[in-house]
mmCIF file of all heavy atoms in Angstrom:
data_model
loop_
_atom_site.group_PDB
_atom_site.id
_atom_site.type_symbol
_atom_site.label_atom_id
_atom_site.label_comp_id
_atom_site.label_asym_id
_atom_site.label_seq_id
_atom_site.Cartn_x
_atom_site.Cartn_y
_atom_site.Cartn_z
ATOM 1 N N ASP A 10 -2.722 4.396 -5.570
ATOM 2 C CA ASP A 10 -3.739 4.840 -4.614
ATOM 3 C C ASP A 10 -3.407 6.243 -4.126
ATOM 4 O O ASP A 10 -2.250 6.686 -4.193
ATOM 5 C CB ASP A 10 -3.812 3.887 -3.416
ATOM 6 C CG ASP A 10 -5.093 4.094 -2.605
ATOM 7 O OD1 ASP A 10 -6.108 4.525 -3.197
ATOM 8 O OD2 ASP A 10 -5.082 3.844 -1.396
ATOM 9 N N SER A 11 -4.419 6.934 -3.670
ATOM 10 C CA SER A 11 -4.219 8.249 -3.055
ATOM 11 C C SER A 11 -5.211 8.387 -1.901
ATOM 12 O O SER A 11 -6.292 7.788 -1.930
ATOM 13 C CB SER A 11 -4.443 9.367 -4.085
ATOM 14 O OG SER A 11 -5.767 9.315 -4.583
ATOM 15 N N HIS A 12 -4.824 9.117 -0.888
ATOM 16 C CA HIS A 12 -5.719 9.431 0.230
ATOM 17 C C HIS A 12 -5.481 10.866 0.670
ATOM 18 O O HIS A 12 -4.357 11.358 0.582
ATOM 19 C CB HIS A 12 -5.483 8.492 1.421
ATOM 20 C CG HIS A 12 -6.138 7.163 1.264
ATOM 21 N ND1 HIS A 12 -7.377 6.865 1.789
ATOM 22 C CD2 HIS A 12 -5.728 6.049 0.619
ATOM 23 C CE1 HIS A 12 -7.699 5.625 1.478
ATOM 24 N NE2 HIS A 12 -6.710 5.096 0.770
ATOM 25 N N SER A 37 -10.542 2.059 5.941
ATOM 26 C CA SER A 37 -9.561 1.260 6.688
ATOM 27 C C SER A 37 -8.591 2.236 7.356
ATOM 28 O O SER A 37 -8.925 3.389 7.586
ATOM 29 C CB SER A 37 -8.813 0.340 5.722
ATOM 30 O OG SER A 37 -8.049 1.118 4.817
ATOM 31 N N ALA A 39 -6.284 3.489 5.864
ATOM 32 C CA ALA A 39 -5.959 4.414 4.755
ATOM 33 C C ALA A 39 -4.487 4.382 4.358
ATOM 34 O O ALA A 39 -3.917 5.377 3.920
ATOM 35 C CB ALA A 39 -6.390 5.841 5.086
ATOM 36 N N ASP A 40 -3.880 3.199 4.492
ATOM 37 C CA ASP A 40 -2.464 3.026 4.148
ATOM 38 C C ASP A 40 -2.331 2.959 2.617
ATOM 39 O O ASP A 40 -2.459 1.896 1.996
ATOM 40 C CB ASP A 40 -1.943 1.740 4.799
ATOM 41 C CG ASP A 40 -0.438 1.586 4.706
ATOM 42 O OD1 ASP A 40 0.139 1.990 3.681
ATOM 43 O OD2 ASP A 40 0.151 1.050 5.661
ATOM 44 N N ALA A 41 -2.075 4.115 2.020
ATOM 45 C CA ALA A 41 -2.098 4.221 0.550
ATOM 46 C C ALA A 41 -1.034 3.337 -0.100
ATOM 47 O O ALA A 41 -1.252 2.794 -1.198
ATOM 48 C CB ALA A 41 -1.900 5.677 0.134
ATOM 49 N N HIS A 44 -2.319 -0.184 -0.105
ATOM 50 C CA HIS A 44 -3.429 -0.304 -1.054
ATOM 51 C C HIS A 44 -2.908 -0.389 -2.493
ATOM 52 O O HIS A 44 -3.439 -1.144 -3.312
ATOM 53 C CB HIS A 44 -4.399 0.875 -0.899
ATOM 54 C CG HIS A 44 -5.104 0.873 0.424
ATOM 55 N ND1 HIS A 44 -6.038 1.828 0.777
ATOM 56 C CD2 HIS A 44 -5.009 0.027 1.488
ATOM 57 C CE1 HIS A 44 -6.485 1.556 2.005
ATOM 58 N NE2 HIS A 44 -5.865 0.492 2.456
ATOM 59 N N ALA A 45 -1.864 0.371 -2.794
ATOM 60 C CA ALA A 45 -1.267 0.294 -4.127
ATOM 61 C C ALA A 45 -0.645 -1.088 -4.352
ATOM 62 O O ALA A 45 -0.772 -1.671 -5.440
ATOM 63 C CB ALA A 45 -0.219 1.394 -4.303
ATOM 64 N N ILE A 59 -8.883 -3.710 -5.245
ATOM 65 C CA ILE A 59 -9.059 -3.702 -3.784
ATOM 66 C C ILE A 59 -10.514 -3.452 -3.401
ATOM 67 O O ILE A 59 -11.004 -4.000 -2.419
ATOM 68 C CB ILE A 59 -8.101 -2.663 -3.145
ATOM 69 C CG1 ILE A 59 -8.086 -2.785 -1.614
ATOM 70 C CG2 ILE A 59 -8.440 -1.240 -3.576
ATOM 71 C CD1 ILE A 59 -6.974 -1.988 -0.955
HETATM 72 MG MG1 LIG B 1 -6.960 3.350 -0.536
#
Side-chain angles (χ1 to χ4, degrees):
D10 196 28
S11 61
H12 280 265
S37 65
D40 190 324
H44 294 181
I59 189 169

